[in-house]
Amino acid sequence: METLLLQNTEKDIARAGEILRGGGLVAIPTETVYGLAANALDGAAVAGIFRAKGRPQDNPLIVHISHLDQWKSLVREIPDKAMALAEAYWPGPLTIILPKSDIIPEAVSAGLDTVAVRFPSMRTTRKIIDAAGVPLAAPSANLSGSPSPTCARHTMDDMNGRIDAVLDGGECNFGVESTVVTLATDIPRLLRPGAVTPEELREVLGKVEIDDAVMGQLKEGVKAASPGMKYKHYSPKAEITIVKGSLDDFIKYTETLCRAGDNKKRFALCFDGEEESISLPCVTYGREKDSLTQSHRLFTALRELDERGAEKVCARCPSTEGVGMAVYNRLLRAAGFCVIDSHDAS
Ligand code: AMP
Ligand code: MG
């Protein structure tokens, strides 16, 4: 199949809408990452998303809307807490899970009795949803397991030949996927951190629990509240180790590793401006004390490591405060949960 590269013009947005209405697949820009969209109310179209990505069947999809009114028909009811949350952070990088209505196809909710809904803030995304005239199911537009794409080129790298079109809307603003919170439990629970922080959720909801899968690895046999969190994810080909500690400790640790010399192509994934003092080839992912620049850069940096042939990567550890929790959560999965403390190790 030939994959069209569409531009961010009225004509091409209308074309994307037509393809989606006809049951096709279009990768679309959003303020978080590129999404692989299909008509959320058409089970056959949604099945195509799973095929194109190689996504496990038990991993449900987020449904995207362009008007608050569309939410009503997708869920059983909208409790006051959910509406307060929507009023505070929608449109924006927040996904809210509630018990689903009967119009949600099985494929979207992957057999669960809930549905995840998001109202994106990027105008182009909303125009595409309007052009399609239906809510759009859209997971990240990467091959399953790879880092999520944050520009049209990365989306094409993964999806060329597999889907009908990619619409180029430039670089994504946040660069990590939305915050996912479920209100289908007695106490609201954060399932995936994103640009809307736990503190911001608590301002509206009061108590919010953080799911165990957010900051660590689920123990064998424990059922994942968010099926996506149990899979290896966001992963470049290189083997990544997150190195906790100061820059000085990181430098000492990498120098010891280099002396060990195993002929592997080693890289450092570090913060802007640190390249000078690290003796390995470096890829940077934002400023040390600025989680938003880190989230914007992280997935591009992971893809760059692959492009440069990295085999082993030592990564500087981000702060886990605020949006940093989302950055750490993604890097932790990219590293297959491999974290060491450089102070103890060197
Ligand atoms: P992605 O589409 O790549 O952004 O991934 C969507 C994430 O939301 C995955 O981690 C899913 O497991 C999670 N998700 C979507 N729908 C639900 C749901 N109904 N219940 C729990 N998690 C969900
Ligand atoms: Mg994804």
Side-chain angles (χ1 to χ4, degrees), residues 55 59-62 97 112 114-116 139-140 191-192 225-228:
R55 184 176 175 102
N59 195 2
L61 307 178
I62 296 171
I97 295 176
L112 301 176
T114 52
V115 65
S140 51
L191 300 184
R192 179 173 74 182
S226 172

Side-chain angles (χ1 to χ4, degrees), residues 1-218:
M1 163 191 308
E2 194 202 340
T3 302
L4 294 173
L5 181 61
L6 301 174
Q7 300 303 316
N8 192 358
T9 60
E10 298 301 323
K11 185 168 154 267
D12 278 8
I13 288 173
R15 178 90 182 91
E18 239 169 70
I19 297 171
L20 289 162
R21 258 200 318 281
L25 301 180
V26 182
I28 62 171
T30 81
E31 72 275 23
T32 58
V33 299
Y34 273 69
L36 177 52
N39 176 355
L41 307 181
D42 175 347
V46 168
I49 294 179
F50 286 84
R51 271 198 305 276
K53 277 182 64 87
R55 184 176 175 102
Q57 300 288 339
D58 68 347
N59 195 2
L61 307 178
I62 296 171
V63 178
H64 294 72
I65 56 175
S66 53
H67 298 277
L68 205 51
D69 282 354
Q70 288 170 304
W71 197 15
K72 278 202 290 286
S73 68
L74 305 174
V75 294
R76 230 177 288 148
E77 61 166 329
I78 301 176
D80 292 346
K81 270 190 176 175
M83 193 47 90
L85 202 54
E87 276 165 8
Y89 302 115
W90 275 0
L94 173 68
T95 296
I96 302 174
I97 295 176
L98 286 170
K100 75 183 178 92
S101 74
D102 294 338
I103 66 168
I104 301 293
E106 275 287 297
V108 170
S109 50
L112 301 176
D113 54 9
T114 52
V115 65
V117 178
R118 185 163 98 80
F119 181 4
S121 63
M122 188 180 183
R123 284 195 52 210
T124 305
T125 321
R126 282 161 26 196
K127 282 191 194 169
I128 298 167
I129 303 169
D130 282 344
V134 285
L136 298 178
S140 51
N142 51 287
L143 289 172
S144 209
S146 299
S148 303
T150 54
C151 64
R153 181 172 72 80
H154 293 163
T155 309
M156 265 296 184
D157 285 347
D158 279 17
M159 289 298 149
N160 196 8
R162 295 173 166 265
I163 63 175
D164 297 290
V166 173
L167 192 137
D168 186 350
E171 265 186 38
C172 300
N173 183 16
F174 292 112
V176 291
E177 305 83 347
S178 59
T179 302
V180 177
V181 64
T182 181
L183 299 183
T185 45
D186 289 341
I187 299 170
R189 176 172 277 258
L190 177 74
L191 300 184
R192 179 173 74 182
V196 175
T197 64
E199 298 75 38
E200 287 171 326
L201 295 176
R202 286 184 181 123
E203 275 171 28
V204 178
L205 297 173
K207 192 164 180 207
V208 176
E209 291 175 343
I210 312 261
D211 197 77
D212 286 346
V214 168
M215 296 299 276
Q217 186 170 22
L218 281 180

